Amino acid sequence: MLISKKNLINLRIRKICCIGAGYVGGPTMAVISDHCPHLKVTLVDKDKSKIDAWNSIDLSNLPIYEPGLREVIQRNRGKNLFFSINIKKAIEEADMIFISVNTPTKINGLGAGYASDLKWIESSARQVAQYSQGHTIVVEKSTVPVRTAELIQEILLNSENSTYKDKKTFSVISSPEFLAEGTAIKDLENPDRVLIGGTDQEAIDLLKDIYLRWISEDKILLTNLWSSELSKLIANAFLAQRVSSINSISALCEVTGADIHEVVKAIGSDQRIGSKFLSPSPGFGGSCFKKDILNLVYLCRFYNLEEAANYWEQVLFINDWQKERISSRIIEKFYGTVSNKNILILGFAFKSNTNDTRESPSIGISKDLLENGARLFINDPKVGKKQIEKELELKEGEINQISTGGWTYADDIYHFSKNIDAIIILTEWDFYKQLNWEKISLNMRKPSWIFDTRNIVSKIDISKFNINYWQVGTTN
Ligand code: UDX
Ligand code: UDX
């Protein structure tokens, strides 16, 4: 989307800025700085504590955990990679600005519960309009509803609140990020594809030039703006749909005697189906899948495509059902009550190799058990006590108002397995695959249970230890 080509031809990208130093902006800019030593890359964020954490000398205090991220930060921070709260300065000097702020689901107003809240995108665009100078290329990195670029363009064109009165121009292009948490650096280093959507060829070429430093040209797909914006939503919707599909079949396997892992192997061997994203689980979590599908449903309804909206909404219904189903199974196995039962939860992050707990299935399942009076002991290799308190809305050691349930942070699994009635595995950390189940089983109170929602322990191995075992998708 070209606003004016003035100044653009001679423009060379030397300084880039990214608004939003979160799970997407942080790793993305770190990898760009690694491959483009000629660029000065500045990440800005309104959250000072986050920027302080990105700047912390001790790299174990970075605000997010991602395998390989520390090394990239160590190589580039202070050289050509900077973290700052000085948004004004970073925008003033930037030739290209990435917008990577969060776009949560709206909680009130029109479209509440479905539509994405674009207030942060809007305020970022206003800051760009106010502080930018000369020609600036604006790149949408955040996942946004179709036609958000139009909103950004309108703000940039019509802003009267500019610090600088000389003529400024903008190009808006879209380049959504497909990285998955836990493998962000790997995904950024070696993406399946990179999308650039827009009509301004020069702006597209300048961004393409950055990616070409480490990504081969055949992986860089050029589309129109709206296809680029929509493709990101659809990629997430398709991935989430696979998880809900396999989870719905996991329930069928449990009652029919089929084994979900055998079914997955059988169907995944068909190249048309493919083997990825077919692992049964307690449901998908993370910041994107639910939000993006809600947004897709909203878009379909907005355009009067009620049937399409209903179709995609089912993916979310199944996901909620899977979580509720697992809580119910656990309670049923204890003859309808977990009141005063000691339960060790293994995993609070929404998947392994991340400290992110947004929409984690562990939250809902833990809350269900707390409401039923259970005493929970929660372990996660990367999620700390404060984060769990925030998600459960219950302080460690406090008693839940509705029941007598409460929770304790369990940093040592062996110590906290003493007198435990059940262990529920909710995140697929490699660490859990190496646990000494014999030692744990001796600590547990009998009759004891393991509920494995991630296929971490083998039923055959566990059968030696006099523990009852339940696994998602197999007959138990
Ligand atoms: C978010 C969205 O969830 C995703 O859809 C989108 O593709 C990219 O942005 P993520 O990076 O995981 O992904 O979000 P988060 O970790 O919350 O980071 C966003 C950051 O933007 C936060 O640190 C927040 O403080 C910052 N922010 C938000 C600003 O700096 N300015 C704002 O106006 C709003
Ligand atoms: C996702 C997309 O993969 C990524 O391309 C996009 O940029 C952001 O959203 P992310 O949410 O970080 O990434 O993780 P992902 O690996 O996709 O997992 C999402 C959820 O699905 C997790 O809770 C995971 O445990 C679950 N999942 C995934 C399953 O339950 N089964 C599977 O087979 C795969």
Side-chain angles (χ1 to χ4, degrees):
M1 183 177 295
L2 180 67
I3 295 173
S4 162
K5 286 193 179 176
K6 195 169 174 269
N7 297 337
L8 186 59
I9 305 301
N10 295 325
L11 182 77
R12 283 204 126 57
I13 306 296
R14 290 188 188 283
K15 292 181 178 164
I16 68 178
C17 148
C18 175
I19 308 177
Y23 282 90
V24 171
T28 308
M29 291 301 123
V31 169
I32 290 182
S33 73
D34 208 26
H35 288 284
C36 305
H38 63 290
L39 290 179
K40 179 183 176 191
V41 181
T42 307
L43 267 142
V44 290
D45 202 292
K46 65 183 171 72
D47 182 346
K48 184 177 179 306
S49 64
K50 196 170 272 187
I51 291 298
D52 288 345
W54 279 114
N55 282 324
S56 57
I57 296 163
D58 179 355
L59 289 167
S60 57
N61 290 334
L62 293 181
I64 64 173
Y65 170 73
E66 273 297 335
L69 177 65
R70 267 189 200 199
E71 292 78 357
V72 187
I73 298 290
Q74 192 160 31
R75 275 200 296 279
N76 304 294
R77 197 176 60 184
K79 288 184 193 148
N80 70 328
L81 176 65
F82 301 91
F83 297 90
S84 167
I85 50 161
N86 195 341
I87 300 176
K88 176 175 180 283
K89 179 166 177 270
I91 292 177
E92 275 171 358
E93 59 180 35
D95 307 309
M96 186 179 272
I97 298 175
F98 293 78
I99 299 184
S100 191
V101 294
N102 38 337
T103 49
T105 306
K106 273 180 97 170
I107 35 182
N108 38 42
L110 188 69
Y114 286 91
S116 287
D117 192 340
L118 296 180
K119 69 176 174 213
W120 304 127
I121 295 273
E122 238 186 275
S123 63
S124 301
R126 283 186 207 288
Q127 286 174 314
V128 174
Q130 185 173 1
Y131 302 129
S132 63
Q133 301 186 71
H135 187 84
T136 309
I137 296 169
V138 177
V139 185
E140 276 179 345
K141 258 280 161 222
S142 301
T143 307
V144 289
V146 193
R147 303 198 85 90
T148 301
E150 212 162 47
L151 166 82
I152 297 177
Q153 190 198 25
E154 227 163 79
I155 292 170
L156 295 176
L157 270 177
N158 297 316
S159 178
E160 280 154 17
N161 182 19
S162 173
T163 303
Y164 307 101
K165 292 301 163 208
D166 35 323
K167 180 106 186 96
K168 49 174 105 181
T169 52
F170 304 95
S171 290
V172 181
I173 54 178
S174 155
S175 186
E177 185 46 65
F178 293 95
L179 67 81
E181 286 174 34
T183 52
I185 301 298
K186 205 167 110 255
D187 297 341
L188 286 159
E189 287 290 345
N190 190 19
D192 287 344
R193 72 339 203 156
V194 165
L195 272 192
I196 306 180
T199 49
D200 177 359
Q201 198 52 51
E202 283 99 335
I204 292 168
D205 286 345
L206 287 165
L207 179 58
K208 190 173 165 187
D209 205 43
I210 293 177
Y211 290 138
L212 279 173
R213 303 269 159 176
W214 78 99
I215 298 164
S216 61
E217 188 157 16
D218 57 314
K219 286 188 173 176
I220 303 176
L221 310 183
L222 306 182
T223 67
N224 78 32
L225 256 174
W226 322 128
S227 306
S228 172
E229 291 178 335
L230 187 61
S231 298
K232 175 64 203 271
L233 281 188
I234 304 309
N236 278 347
F238 267 62
L239 290 169
Q241 180 203 43
R242 272 176 84 93
V243 177
S244 278
S245 296
I246 209 65
N247 280 340
S248 72
I249 302 306
S250 73
L252 190 59
C253 287
E254 287 162 28
V255 291
T256 55
D259 179 319
I260 193 70
H261 307 295
E262 291 173 358
V263 174
V264 163
K265 192 157 185 209
I267 65 166
S269 308
D270 185 327
Q271 286 187 25
R272 294 168 304 172
I273 297 173
S275 59
K276 292 189 177 150
F277 250 77
L278 287 179
S279 302
S281 66
F284 56 76
S287 72
C288 288
F289 283 2
K290 183 174 172 189
K291 164 177 78 81
D292 291 349
I293 293 180
L294 284 170
N295 191 220
L296 178 61
V297 170
Y298 181 74
L299 271 175
C300 292
R301 294 221 164 103
F302 180 82
Y303 289 106
N304 288 320
L305 302 169
E306 189 61 26
E307 288 75 7
N310 293 343
Y311 173 76
W312 286 106
E313 203 165 24
Q314 284 302 319
V315 173
L316 296 176
F317 291 154
I318 290 289
N319 199 48
D320 286 341
W321 176 68
Q322 182 76 346
K323 287 181 268 188
E324 288 156 17
R325 202 172 76 72
I326 287 169
S327 306
S328 303
R329 284 294 163 280
I330 295 166
I331 297 168
E332 275 165 24
K333 294 290 184 193
F334 284 103
Y335 302 98
T337 177
V338 287
S339 182
N340 292 325
K341 289 279 180 300
N342 296 322
I343 298 179
L344 178 59
I345 303 268
L346 297 189
F348 207 78
F350 79 97
K351 61 184 277 194
S352 62
N353 291 319
T354 179
N355 58 346
D356 196 348
T357 57
R358 288 176 290 182
E359 300 294 336
S360 174
S362 302
I363 303 169
I365 293 171
S366 299
K367 280 187 172 174
D368 283 347
L369 297 171
L370 285 171
E371 274 176 25
N372 279 277
R375 285 192 293 252
L376 301 185
F377 299 84
I378 304 179
N379 173 273
D380 190 286
K382 290 289 170 195
V383 181
K385 186 175 102 174
K386 274 203 182 127
Q387 185 61 18
I388 300 175
E389 285 183 334
K390 191 177 136 223
E391 295 289 17
L392 294 182
E393 300 163 291
L394 184 68
K395 289 222 174 298
E396 187 194 30
E398 266 181 16
I399 298 294
N400 175 295
Q401 294 299 311
I402 309 166
S403 65
T404 53
W407 76 277
T408 304
Y409 191 72
D411 49 1
D412 179 338
I413 294 174
Y414 297 104
H415 173 74
F416 282 96
S417 57
K418 284 182 192 130
N419 287 323
I420 284 288
D421 297 294
I423 294 180
I424 312 174
I425 306 170
L426 291 173
T427 313
E428 73 285 20
W429 287 101
D430 275 347
F431 172 62
Y432 297 153
K433 294 178 187 157
Q434 290 142 24
L435 290 172
N436 181 340
W437 289 102
E438 184 171 15
K439 193 171 165 189
I440 291 173
S441 70
L442 291 171
N443 281 343
M444 292 176 81
R445 190 160 71 173
K446 300 288 178 299
S448 44
W449 277 93
I450 291 179
F451 297 92
D452 184 2
T453 69
R454 296 281 193 173
N455 190 25
I456 293 290
V457 287
S458 131
K459 196 172 188 167
I460 297 162
D461 288 352
I462 225 71
S463 62
K464 295 183 273 196
F465 305 130
N466 188 23
I467 311 180
N468 297 301
Y469 180 72
W470 181 89
Q471 189 185 52
V472 165
T474 59
T475 312
N476 302 280

